[in-house]
Amino acid sequence: MSDKAVLTLEGKQYEYDIHTGSEGERCIDITNLRKETGYITMDEGFGNTGSCYSDITFVDGAKGILKYRGYPIEDIAENATFVETAYLILYGELPTADQLRSFSGALKEHAPLHTNLKHHFSGLPSDAPPMAILSAMLNMVSCFHPDILEVHTSGKGFDKSAALLLSKVRTIAAWVFRMAAGKAFNDPNPNLSYCANFLHMMFSDPYQEYIPSPVIEKALNLFLVLHADHEQNCSTSTVRVVGSSRANLFSSVSAGVCALWGPLHGGANTAVIQMLEEIQASGRPVTDYINMAKAKNNTFRLMGFGHRVYKNFDPRSIILKKAVDDVLQELNMQDPLLDIARELEEKTLADSYFKERNLYPNVDFYSGILLRAIGIPLNMYTVMFAIGRMPGWIANWRELHDHKQRISRPRQIFTGSNTRSYIPLEKRT
Ligand code: CMC
């Protein structure tokens, strides 16, 4: 097979290298296209554009495969803790017992927030959007650690920045919830695991320490593991774009939080529950909503369905669907929204509109029901996604520096006015 792609333009031929990834995926390297031909490519939304070479996460959307550093998501979800998964994503290998001990120690050490940072919470309205606070606070953390504001991609500087962010995102998230609920902040407890510590900071009260059941702790762990990375999604690409200007890690991930916020990305987990609640409250059949999503003149979409990359089942949604069943059963709970979700899935899988467009449930479809079972309030769902995605953002930020990625700077085709002369104010109509 040829290792060159040949392009014919205005009667002239140009050759471009073909590169093959380790899983056989192929790209045409058009780095010199504009220089050689004067043309650029147009790919709105970057659906066919590779922006980097990466060793971190592999997704095969046609087959529904997801792997972190070569390990299938099913294997990691079954066996690894979130802390082990974060280490794997950051450093490329599963940690040895010593490495895990030292990494967990660093997470414990960096869990407390600086007292002055704590004061910033008190100036915010109690209904401030949690994602706005999270983004701002993550950026602000850097103000208290000027030693790691420079770009560190290896050694102690990187280890500290990574541990600090992974740990502080959890404390900030829990305190955002406490602030909104008008409750006192709980300091982190270094004797607890990553997930138990988060749940303690969220739910312990002065005279009643919250001790999560193993089922709840495991469910939270699974949620975070499944969100840990997903290659060049909107928020991770944002982190890489911001980082490509050589911006520091804190500002890069805080931009990632903002990108995640939108309902087409991480905000979909909140939107799914809102949609299921609306269906429940309306008393209307789910087919009404399916028909609304199909109608050409209606902008309504079934939240939690469809994916830019997966044209088959999202493997995370399969794991989550089973986890939701198991957790509700183990906790002896029932959730009427789960019945609506199951019916929606069943009906869409049999519907030609969804079949023709390969629209399957994505990670956000069942994750909200799991978060409800854990006791997380709705306005915190996307914040939970951000805690989970932190290892992926950090690893991608590091990788772009290690690969010396050029500053991200796409081109455009200009469709505005041609040259015009300034019109003095009195002559404008
Ligand atoms: N409900 C109904 N129709 C849909 C949906 C949906 N959820 N998603 C896509 N379509 C239709 C869309 O109208 C279009 O139809 P047509 O070809 O007739 O114009 C076709 O499917 C292709 O859609 P697209 O918008 O071109 O696809 P995209 O790759 O640009 O968008 C998506 C992907 C995830 C933004 C989109 O499927 C969507 O809006 N889904 C709902 C929001 C959601 O669940 N987001 C979470 C994504 S997964 C986790 C994450 O990234 O955080």
Side-chain angles (χ1 to χ4, degrees):
M1 203 186 296
S2 160
D3 56 356
K4 298 270 184 209
V6 181
L7 172 72
T8 306
L9 257 182
E10 296 166 6
K12 229 175 133 187
Q13 288 203 331
Y14 302 87
E15 284 193 344
Y16 294 98
D17 288 343
I18 290 178
H19 298 167
T20 306
S22 47
E23 291 275 357
E25 71 279 24
R26 316 189 80 207
C27 75
I28 301 166
D29 182 346
I30 53 142
T31 311
N32 292 324
L33 178 75
R34 190 178 155 277
K35 204 157 66 184
E36 292 174 357
T37 67
Y39 282 72
I40 61 167
T41 54
M42 179 55 69
D43 181 20
E44 212 184 305
F46 308 134
N48 293 292
T49 298
S51 60
C52 61
Y53 295 92
S54 180
D55 305 340
I56 305 167
T57 290
F58 173 72
V59 177
D60 182 332
K63 295 192 184 132
I65 293 172
L66 166 62
K67 297 187 212 174
Y68 295 158
R69 302 282 190 184
Y71 294 94
I73 190 64
E74 293 78 6
D75 199 4
I76 293 292
E78 177 77 29
N79 297 301
T81 63
F82 176 62
V83 173
E84 273 179 289
T85 307
Y87 188 98
L88 170 70
I89 288 173
L90 290 175
Y91 296 103
E93 299 295 338
L94 284 166
T96 62
D98 276 352
Q99 286 166 334
L100 186 59
R101 210 171 301 118
S102 129
F103 186 55
S104 302
L107 296 180
K108 285 177 183 175
E109 181 192 332
H110 293 300
L113 291 189
H114 197 283
T115 317
N116 287 343
L117 190 61
K118 211 170 177 175
H119 296 323
H120 285 283
F121 284 91
S122 57
L124 293 163
S126 62
D127 60 352
M131 288 296 274
I133 307 176
L134 185 68
S135 172
M137 290 282 174
L138 285 172
N139 220 346
M140 246 188 267
V141 166
S142 69
C143 308
F144 300 93
H145 299 276
D147 54 316
I148 48 170
L149 253 187
E150 287 160 34
V151 170
H152 297 278
T153 63
S154 61
K156 289 203 168 71
F158 175 75
D159 296 345
K160 181 175 171 187
S161 320
L164 207 134
L165 271 172
L166 277 168
S167 195
K168 296 221 190 295
V169 68
R170 171 187 56 166
T171 312
I172 295 169
W175 287 13
V176 168
F177 163 70
R178 301 289 297 183
M179 182 206 84
K183 295 181 173 187
F185 297 144
N186 292 315
D187 286 323
N189 177 348
N191 301 317
L192 298 175
S193 72
Y194 187 92
C195 290
N197 205 354
F198 173 71
L199 292 164
H200 148 71
M201 287 191 276
M202 288 279 289
F203 301 128
S204 281
D205 282 317
Y207 301 105
Q208 181 136 35
E209 188 168 357
Y210 177 90
I211 300 170
S213 79
V215 179
I216 298 265
E217 197 180 330
K218 196 169 152 215
L220 176 58
N221 192 71
L222 178 73
F223 173 90
L224 297 177
V225 164
L226 293 177
H227 287 78
D229 193 34
H230 207 248
E231 52 118 303
Q232 304 313 313
N233 57 84
C234 177
S235 58
T236 303
S237 297
T238 300
V239 169
R240 286 187 86 120
V241 167
V242 175
S244 78
S245 75
R246 306 300 179 255
N248 69 71
L249 177 58
F250 297 86
S251 47
S252 303
V253 299
S254 95
V257 170
C258 294
L260 186 72
W261 192 355
L264 296 189
H265 189 13
N269 60 11
T270 313
V272 167
I273 296 296
Q274 285 165 335
M275 175 186 78
L276 295 175
E277 283 176 343
E278 191 196 311
I279 297 175
Q280 183 190 34
S282 74
R284 288 161 61 192
V286 298
T287 41
D288 279 10
Y289 289 83
I290 293 176
N291 289 337
M292 248 157 61
K294 286 159 55 174
K296 269 276 164 238
N297 54 358
N298 197 324
T299 54
F300 175 79
R301 285 189 165 195
L302 282 187
M303 300 313 284
F305 279 83
H307 198 276
R308 172 60 63 78
V309 180
Y310 292 119
K311 299 303 166 199
N312 198 320
F313 268 95
D314 177 339
R316 301 166 300 176
S317 80
I318 299 173
I319 298 170
L320 278 165
K321 185 181 180 187
K322 170 147 192 342
V324 163
D325 276 341
D326 293 349
V327 167
L328 291 183
Q329 206 177 356
E330 284 180 67
L331 296 175
N332 204 13
M333 281 167 77
Q334 281 190 332
D335 190 338
L337 296 193
L338 179 59
D339 298 330
I340 301 173
R342 282 207 197 100
E343 194 184 341
L344 262 182
E345 179 181 344
E346 196 186 297
K347 295 226 154 76
T348 50
L349 288 181
D351 189 300
S352 59
Y353 174 96
F354 289 84
K355 279 203 264 190
E356 278 159 20
R357 289 167 181 76
N358 298 310
L359 301 171
Y360 294 91
N362 58 47
V363 68
D364 295 312
F365 192 59
Y366 287 106
S367 66
I369 299 178
L370 191 68
L371 291 175
R372 262 161 79 93
I374 296 172
I376 306 290
L378 187 59
N379 67 346
M380 289 290 291
Y381 285 11
T382 313
V383 168
M384 301 305 295
F385 193 149
I387 302 176
R389 187 52 53 87
M390 191 55 78
W393 288 336
I394 300 172
N396 273 276
W397 178 89
R398 176 195 216 182
E399 190 177 71
L400 88 91
H401 285 286
D402 285 348
H403 290 185
K404 302 196 172 23
Q405 188 181 304
R406 295 170 77 195
I407 188 166
S408 293
R409 205 313 184 178
R411 297 261 174 181
Q412 65 167 19
I413 295 293
F414 178 68
T415 56
S417 305
N418 297 112
T419 311
R420 300 195 281 179
S421 297
Y422 179 77
I423 307 165
L425 188 56
E426 61 279 10
K427 293 198 177 158
R428 285 177 224 159
T429 50

